[in-house]
Amino acid sequence: MERPLSTLIVIAALALSLAHAQEAAQRLVYADFEQLNKDKHPMSARGGRIIFDVTAQNDKNKPTVSPKLFGAQAPLTQRIAFEYELKQPNDWATAYIKILGFKDKGYTAGEVWERQLLAKAEDLSDYKFLTLDIGAVGTEEVRIDLISESNGIDTNAFPSFNLKVNNQLQPYRIPLTDFKQPEGSWVTKKVTTSGVLKKLTSVQINVSKVPSKGIVVLDNLAFEK
């Protein structure tokens, strides 16, 4: 007995809805930079703040960082970027973008160097990959950090991965097992990647090549199972 066309349409719609639900369960969009807050500043996919900042060994010669937002230009969707310049003399310096998963509660009181960002954590330890679209000019490598702040994990060196990039915006899929805590005498407190992922608060993209000057463009940051 043949089913009426209306029944087949409903079945097809339900199958498509189920497929989309299964895909969503396998992939968590962390930041696609389509969401803007009331001040027209980009947020993460679930309302987390996006922070641009710098650090340097030489406080008198700090790097510069300038946020950018590029509107959709088919086939590209809206994407974020930052221009940077890391100058000598500096034994080390970094310009970065930090993407928080959720809205934070601001910083604790005290000196700038001792303040802590009060951020909401989430357990992403079931995910296997970090994916993103990224391209850069002025550097051939960026460092990606997995960070947990104000949630019981105390360290000065979070798990990271050094990603080779070029001047073309293109997709990358990085196994989370490739993220490792740096080694060295300066690493005072050990953590594991799985431990940080259980209380993840942000993902940070860093440029650390001294000297260097250029731009980093980023889009479609996600976790996949």
mmCIF file of all heavy atoms in Angstrom, residues 109-143:
data_model
loop_
_atom_site.group_PDB
_atom_site.id
_atom_site.type_symbol
_atom_site.label_atom_id
_atom_site.label_comp_id
_atom_site.label_asym_id
_atom_site.label_seq_id
_atom_site.Cartn_x
_atom_site.Cartn_y
_atom_site.Cartn_z
ATOM 1 N N ALA A 109 39.482 41.725 42.700
ATOM 2 C CA ALA A 109 40.187 42.958 43.052
ATOM 3 C C ALA A 109 41.683 42.689 43.191
ATOM 4 O O ALA A 109 42.121 41.543 43.306
ATOM 5 C CB ALA A 109 39.615 43.527 44.351
ATOM 6 N N GLY A 110 42.471 43.763 43.214
ATOM 7 C CA GLY A 110 43.909 43.643 43.430
ATOM 8 C C GLY A 110 44.717 44.216 42.288
ATOM 9 O O GLY A 110 44.187 44.840 41.362
ATOM 10 N N GLU A 111 46.019 44.001 42.369
ATOM 11 C CA GLU A 111 46.912 44.451 41.314
ATOM 12 C C GLU A 111 46.604 43.709 40.013
ATOM 13 O O GLU A 111 46.079 42.588 40.031
ATOM 14 C CB GLU A 111 48.368 44.212 41.713
ATOM 15 C CG GLU A 111 48.816 44.957 42.961
ATOM 16 C CD GLU A 111 48.842 46.467 42.749
ATOM 17 O OE1 GLU A 111 49.009 46.898 41.582
ATOM 18 O OE2 GLU A 111 48.712 47.209 43.733
ATOM 19 N N VAL A 112 46.930 44.332 38.883
ATOM 20 C CA VAL A 112 46.615 43.746 37.589
ATOM 21 C C VAL A 112 47.193 42.341 37.460
ATOM 22 O O VAL A 112 46.535 41.412 36.978
ATOM 23 C CB VAL A 112 47.135 44.646 36.456
ATOM 24 C CG1 VAL A 112 46.962 43.963 35.105
ATOM 25 C CG2 VAL A 112 46.405 45.990 36.460
ATOM 26 N N TRP A 113 48.421 42.164 37.933
ATOM 27 C CA TRP A 113 49.104 40.873 37.754
ATOM 28 C C TRP A 113 48.506 39.764 38.607
ATOM 29 O O TRP A 113 48.698 38.581 38.321
ATOM 30 C CB TRP A 113 50.593 41.022 38.079
ATOM 31 C CG TRP A 113 50.877 41.497 39.476
ATOM 32 C CD1 TRP A 113 51.025 42.776 39.909
ATOM 33 C CD2 TRP A 113 51.051 40.680 40.643
ATOM 34 N NE1 TRP A 113 51.261 42.834 41.262
ATOM 35 C CE2 TRP A 113 51.290 41.555 41.744
ATOM 36 C CE3 TRP A 113 51.023 39.302 40.874
ATOM 37 C CZ2 TRP A 113 51.498 41.091 43.027
ATOM 38 C CZ3 TRP A 113 51.225 38.847 42.174
ATOM 39 C CH2 TRP A 113 51.474 39.734 43.227
ATOM 40 N N GLU A 114 47.743 40.138 39.664
ATOM 41 C CA GLU A 114 47.189 39.111 40.535
ATOM 42 C C GLU A 114 45.677 38.935 40.399
ATOM 43 O O GLU A 114 45.100 38.030 40.994
ATOM 44 C CB GLU A 114 47.525 39.437 41.996
ATOM 45 C CG GLU A 114 46.860 40.705 42.521
ATOM 46 C CD GLU A 114 47.217 41.014 43.966
ATOM 47 O OE1 GLU A 114 47.966 40.223 44.570
ATOM 48 O OE2 GLU A 114 46.756 42.062 44.486
ATOM 49 N N ARG A 115 45.048 39.748 39.578
ATOM 50 C CA ARG A 115 43.603 39.628 39.400
ATOM 51 C C ARG A 115 43.264 38.348 38.632
ATOM 52 O O ARG A 115 44.020 37.889 37.796
ATOM 53 C CB ARG A 115 43.055 40.837 38.637
ATOM 54 C CG ARG A 115 43.101 42.129 39.440
ATOM 55 C CD ARG A 115 42.377 43.232 38.700
ATOM 56 N NE ARG A 115 42.930 43.442 37.360
ATOM 57 C CZ ARG A 115 42.331 44.150 36.408
ATOM 58 N NH1 ARG A 115 41.149 44.690 36.633
ATOM 59 N NH2 ARG A 115 42.903 44.300 35.231
ATOM 60 N N GLN A 116 42.096 37.806 38.911
ATOM 61 C CA GLN A 116 41.647 36.576 38.267
ATOM 62 C C GLN A 116 40.277 36.787 37.649
ATOM 63 O O GLN A 116 39.402 37.411 38.251
ATOM 64 C CB GLN A 116 41.598 35.426 39.278
ATOM 65 C CG GLN A 116 41.470 34.057 38.649
ATOM 66 C CD GLN A 116 41.626 32.948 39.688
ATOM 67 O OE1 GLN A 116 41.206 33.088 40.826
ATOM 68 N NE2 GLN A 116 42.208 31.841 39.276
ATOM 69 N N LEU A 117 40.095 36.287 36.441
ATOM 70 C CA LEU A 117 38.813 36.403 35.757
ATOM 71 C C LEU A 117 37.857 35.342 36.282
ATOM 72 O O LEU A 117 38.181 34.156 36.305
ATOM 73 C CB LEU A 117 39.016 36.230 34.250
ATOM 74 C CG LEU A 117 37.788 36.440 33.365
ATOM 75 C CD1 LEU A 117 37.284 37.877 33.467
ATOM 76 C CD2 LEU A 117 38.114 36.097 31.918
ATOM 77 N N LEU A 118 36.683 35.769 36.719
ATOM 78 C CA LEU A 118 35.680 34.845 37.252
ATOM 79 C C LEU A 118 34.844 34.318 36.093
ATOM 80 O O LEU A 118 33.915 34.978 35.618
ATOM 81 C CB LEU A 118 34.805 35.558 38.284
ATOM 82 C CG LEU A 118 35.557 36.116 39.504
ATOM 83 C CD1 LEU A 118 34.629 36.922 40.399
ATOM 84 C CD2 LEU A 118 36.211 34.983 40.281
ATOM 85 N N ALA A 119 35.205 33.126 35.620
ATOM 86 C CA ALA A 119 34.609 32.582 34.405
ATOM 87 C C ALA A 119 33.885 31.277 34.690
ATOM 88 O O ALA A 119 34.299 30.488 35.538
ATOM 89 C CB ALA A 119 35.696 32.363 33.358
ATOM 90 N N LYS A 120 32.809 31.041 33.961
ATOM 91 C CA LYS A 120 32.038 29.804 34.090
ATOM 92 C C LYS A 120 32.717 28.680 33.310
ATOM 93 O O LYS A 120 33.095 28.848 32.155
ATOM 94 C CB LYS A 120 30.619 30.019 33.563
ATOM 95 C CG LYS A 120 29.728 28.787 33.647
ATOM 96 C CD LYS A 120 28.353 29.081 33.070
ATOM 97 C CE LYS A 120 27.481 27.829 33.068
ATOM 98 N NZ LYS A 120 26.127 28.092 32.507
ATOM 99 N N ALA A 121 32.863 27.525 33.946
ATOM 100 C CA ALA A 121 33.528 26.380 33.315
ATOM 101 C C ALA A 121 32.500 25.406 32.737
ATOM 102 O O ALA A 121 31.314 25.427 33.096
ATOM 103 C CB ALA A 121 34.401 25.661 34.336
ATOM 104 N N GLU A 122 32.975 24.547 31.841
ATOM 105 C CA GLU A 122 32.156 23.462 31.301
ATOM 106 C C GLU A 122 33.043 22.253 31.041
ATOM 107 O O GLU A 122 34.256 22.375 30.838
ATOM 108 C CB GLU A 122 31.460 23.889 30.012
ATOM 109 C CG GLU A 122 32.391 24.282 28.896
ATOM 110 C CD GLU A 122 31.644 24.776 27.671
ATOM 111 O OE1 GLU A 122 30.575 24.214 27.358
ATOM 112 O OE2 GLU A 122 32.122 25.732 27.030
ATOM 113 N N ASP A 123 32.425 21.094 31.034
ATOM 114 C CA ASP A 123 33.136 19.836 30.816
ATOM 115 C C ASP A 123 33.068 19.459 29.335
ATOM 116 O O ASP A 123 32.020 19.067 28.829
ATOM 117 C CB ASP A 123 32.511 18.737 31.678
ATOM 118 C CG ASP A 123 33.295 17.419 31.601
ATOM 119 O OD1 ASP A 123 34.230 17.315 30.786
ATOM 120 O OD2 ASP A 123 32.957 16.487 32.365
ATOM 121 N N LEU A 124 34.200 19.592 28.641
ATOM 122 C CA LEU A 124 34.291 19.220 27.232
ATOM 123 C C LEU A 124 35.237 18.036 27.033
ATOM 124 O O LEU A 124 35.764 17.831 25.943
ATOM 125 C CB LEU A 124 34.765 20.416 26.393
ATOM 126 C CG LEU A 124 33.856 21.646 26.402
ATOM 127 C CD1 LEU A 124 34.378 22.705 25.442
ATOM 128 C CD2 LEU A 124 32.421 21.286 26.061
ATOM 129 N N SER A 125 35.427 17.254 28.091
ATOM 130 C CA SER A 125 36.378 16.150 28.036
ATOM 131 C C SER A 125 35.910 14.998 27.139
ATOM 132 O O SER A 125 36.712 14.132 26.788
ATOM 133 C CB SER A 125 36.663 15.622 29.448
ATOM 134 O OG SER A 125 35.461 15.184 30.086
ATOM 135 N N ASP A 126 34.638 14.984 26.748
ATOM 136 C CA ASP A 126 34.147 13.935 25.849
ATOM 137 C C ASP A 126 34.483 14.221 24.383
ATOM 138 O O ASP A 126 34.337 13.352 23.527
ATOM 139 C CB ASP A 126 32.637 13.767 25.981
ATOM 140 C CG ASP A 126 32.252 13.051 27.262
ATOM 141 O OD1 ASP A 126 33.126 12.392 27.866
ATOM 142 O OD2 ASP A 126 31.077 13.153 27.674
ATOM 143 N N TYR A 127 34.914 15.435 24.094
ATOM 144 C CA TYR A 127 35.215 15.801 22.714
ATOM 145 C C TYR A 127 36.626 15.356 22.338
ATOM 146 O O TYR A 127 37.510 15.246 23.188
ATOM 147 C CB TYR A 127 35.040 17.306 22.509
ATOM 148 C CG TYR A 127 33.584 17.717 22.548
ATOM 149 C CD1 TYR A 127 32.937 17.959 23.766
ATOM 150 C CD2 TYR A 127 32.850 17.838 21.377
ATOM 151 C CE1 TYR A 127 31.604 18.311 23.807
ATOM 152 C CE2 TYR A 127 31.505 18.195 21.415
ATOM 153 C CZ TYR A 127 30.894 18.427 22.621
ATOM 154 O OH TYR A 127 29.565 18.762 22.667
ATOM 155 N N LYS A 128 36.828 15.121 21.044
ATOM 156 C CA LYS A 128 38.087 14.550 20.561
ATOM 157 C C LYS A 128 38.916 15.526 19.729
ATOM 158 O O LYS A 128 40.139 15.347 19.602
ATOM 159 C CB LYS A 128 37.814 13.308 19.718
ATOM 160 C CG LYS A 128 36.969 12.245 20.417
ATOM 161 C CD LYS A 128 37.629 11.742 21.680
ATOM 162 C CE LYS A 128 36.772 10.638 22.330
ATOM 163 N NZ LYS A 128 37.341 10.206 23.640
ATOM 164 N N PHE A 129 38.271 16.541 19.152
ATOM 165 C CA PHE A 129 38.972 17.426 18.223
ATOM 166 C C PHE A 129 38.608 18.887 18.487
ATOM 167 O O PHE A 129 37.489 19.197 18.911
ATOM 168 C CB PHE A 129 38.624 17.101 16.771
ATOM 169 C CG PHE A 129 38.968 15.700 16.352
ATOM 170 C CD1 PHE A 129 38.019 14.685 16.439
ATOM 171 C CD2 PHE A 129 40.232 15.389 15.876
ATOM 172 C CE1 PHE A 129 38.324 13.396 16.058
ATOM 173 C CE2 PHE A 129 40.545 14.094 15.491
ATOM 174 C CZ PHE A 129 39.594 13.097 15.585
ATOM 175 N N LEU A 130 39.570 19.766 18.204
ATOM 176 C CA LEU A 130 39.313 21.199 18.115
ATOM 177 C C LEU A 130 39.426 21.574 16.646
ATOM 178 O O LEU A 130 40.425 21.259 16.000
ATOM 179 C CB LEU A 130 40.331 21.987 18.941
ATOM 180 C CG LEU A 130 40.212 23.513 18.842
ATOM 181 C CD1 LEU A 130 38.968 23.986 19.578
ATOM 182 C CD2 LEU A 130 41.451 24.196 19.411
ATOM 183 N N THR A 131 38.413 22.233 16.105
ATOM 184 C CA THR A 131 38.443 22.641 14.706
ATOM 185 C C THR A 131 38.344 24.160 14.617
ATOM 186 O O THR A 131 37.692 24.807 15.457
ATOM 187 C CB THR A 131 37.304 21.996 13.901
ATOM 188 O OG1 THR A 131 36.044 22.477 14.380
ATOM 189 C CG2 THR A 131 37.334 20.485 14.025
ATOM 190 N N LEU A 132 38.948 24.725 13.603
ATOM 191 C CA LEU A 132 38.894 26.164 13.390
ATOM 192 C C LEU A 132 39.357 26.491 11.988
ATOM 193 O O LEU A 132 40.075 25.717 11.349
ATOM 194 C CB LEU A 132 39.746 26.918 14.414
ATOM 195 C CG LEU A 132 41.274 26.876 14.277
ATOM 196 C CD1 LEU A 132 41.905 27.980 15.130
ATOM 197 C CD2 LEU A 132 41.857 25.531 14.671
ATOM 198 N N ASP A 133 38.923 27.666 11.513
ATOM 199 C CA ASP A 133 39.440 28.239 10.278
ATOM 200 C C ASP A 133 40.375 29.370 10.681
ATOM 201 O O ASP A 133 39.972 30.271 11.438
ATOM 202 C CB ASP A 133 38.320 28.798 9.408
ATOM 203 C CG ASP A 133 37.321 27.735 8.974
ATOM 204 O OD1 ASP A 133 37.652 26.534 9.083
ATOM 205 O OD2 ASP A 133 36.224 28.111 8.542
ATOM 206 N N ILE A 134 41.596 29.368 10.168
ATOM 207 C CA ILE A 134 42.557 30.387 10.567
ATOM 208 C C ILE A 134 43.559 30.648 9.450
ATOM 209 O O ILE A 134 43.893 29.744 8.676
ATOM 210 C CB ILE A 134 43.293 29.979 11.872
ATOM 211 C CG1 ILE A 134 44.079 31.161 12.443
ATOM 212 C CG2 ILE A 134 44.152 28.751 11.686
ATOM 213 C CD1 ILE A 134 44.602 30.915 13.856
ATOM 214 N N GLY A 135 44.001 31.884 9.354
ATOM 215 C CA GLY A 135 45.056 32.284 8.443
ATOM 216 C C GLY A 135 45.815 33.439 9.077
ATOM 217 O O GLY A 135 45.268 34.161 9.920
ATOM 218 N N ALA A 136 47.070 33.634 8.699
ATOM 219 C CA ALA A 136 47.874 34.673 9.323
ATOM 220 C C ALA A 136 48.906 35.235 8.350
ATOM 221 O O ALA A 136 49.378 34.539 7.457
ATOM 222 C CB ALA A 136 48.574 34.133 10.570
ATOM 223 N N VAL A 137 49.240 36.487 8.569
ATOM 224 C CA VAL A 137 50.331 37.148 7.859
ATOM 225 C C VAL A 137 51.309 37.656 8.913
ATOM 226 O O VAL A 137 50.908 38.199 9.940
ATOM 227 C CB VAL A 137 49.804 38.329 7.013
ATOM 228 C CG1 VAL A 137 50.969 39.123 6.410
ATOM 229 C CG2 VAL A 137 48.877 37.835 5.924
ATOM 230 N N GLY A 138 52.588 37.438 8.682
ATOM 231 C CA GLY A 138 53.612 37.918 9.614
ATOM 232 C C GLY A 138 54.146 36.856 10.540
ATOM 233 O O GLY A 138 55.134 37.075 11.243
ATOM 234 N N THR A 139 53.499 35.708 10.569
ATOM 235 C CA THR A 139 53.966 34.586 11.378
ATOM 236 C C THR A 139 53.577 33.289 10.687
ATOM 237 O O THR A 139 52.580 33.235 9.955
ATOM 238 C CB THR A 139 53.380 34.623 12.801
ATOM 239 O OG1 THR A 139 53.946 33.567 13.588
ATOM 240 C CG2 THR A 139 51.868 34.466 12.784
ATOM 241 N N GLU A 140 54.357 32.243 10.901
ATOM 242 C CA GLU A 140 54.069 30.935 10.322
ATOM 243 C C GLU A 140 53.498 29.976 11.354
ATOM 244 O O GLU A 140 53.237 28.809 11.052
ATOM 245 C CB GLU A 140 55.348 30.312 9.728
ATOM 246 C CG GLU A 140 55.992 31.131 8.620
ATOM 247 C CD GLU A 140 56.794 32.296 9.150
ATOM 248 O OE1 GLU A 140 57.459 32.151 10.209
ATOM 249 O OE2 GLU A 140 56.746 33.374 8.524
ATOM 250 N N GLU A 141 53.284 30.467 12.582
ATOM 251 C CA GLU A 141 52.827 29.580 13.654
ATOM 252 C C GLU A 141 52.064 30.370 14.689
ATOM 253 O O GLU A 141 52.443 31.489 15.052
ATOM 254 C CB GLU A 141 54.031 28.880 14.295
ATOM 255 C CG GLU A 141 53.687 27.875 15.371
ATOM 256 C CD GLU A 141 54.937 27.178 15.909
ATOM 257 O OE1 GLU A 141 55.326 26.143 15.357
ATOM 258 O OE2 GLU A 141 55.524 27.694 16.884
ATOM 259 N N VAL A 142 50.967 29.787 15.181
ATOM 260 C CA VAL A 142 50.257 30.327 16.332
ATOM 261 C C VAL A 142 50.197 29.252 17.408
ATOM 262 O O VAL A 142 50.264 28.064 17.112
ATOM 263 C CB VAL A 142 48.831 30.791 15.968
ATOM 264 C CG1 VAL A 142 48.866 31.917 14.953
ATOM 265 C CG2 VAL A 142 47.977 29.629 15.466
ATOM 266 N N ARG A 143 50.093 29.676 18.642
ATOM 267 C CA ARG A 143 49.940 28.737 19.756
ATOM 268 C C ARG A 143 48.500 28.825 20.252
ATOM 269 O O ARG A 143 47.984 29.909 20.500
ATOM 270 C CB ARG A 143 50.896 29.069 20.896
ATOM 271 C CG ARG A 143 50.919 27.981 21.991
ATOM 272 C CD ARG A 143 51.772 28.371 23.182
ATOM 273 N NE ARG A 143 51.097 29.322 24.059
ATOM 274 C CZ ARG A 143 51.477 30.587 24.220
ATOM 275 N NH1 ARG A 143 52.525 31.061 23.566
ATOM 276 N NH2 ARG A 143 50.812 31.388 25.045
#
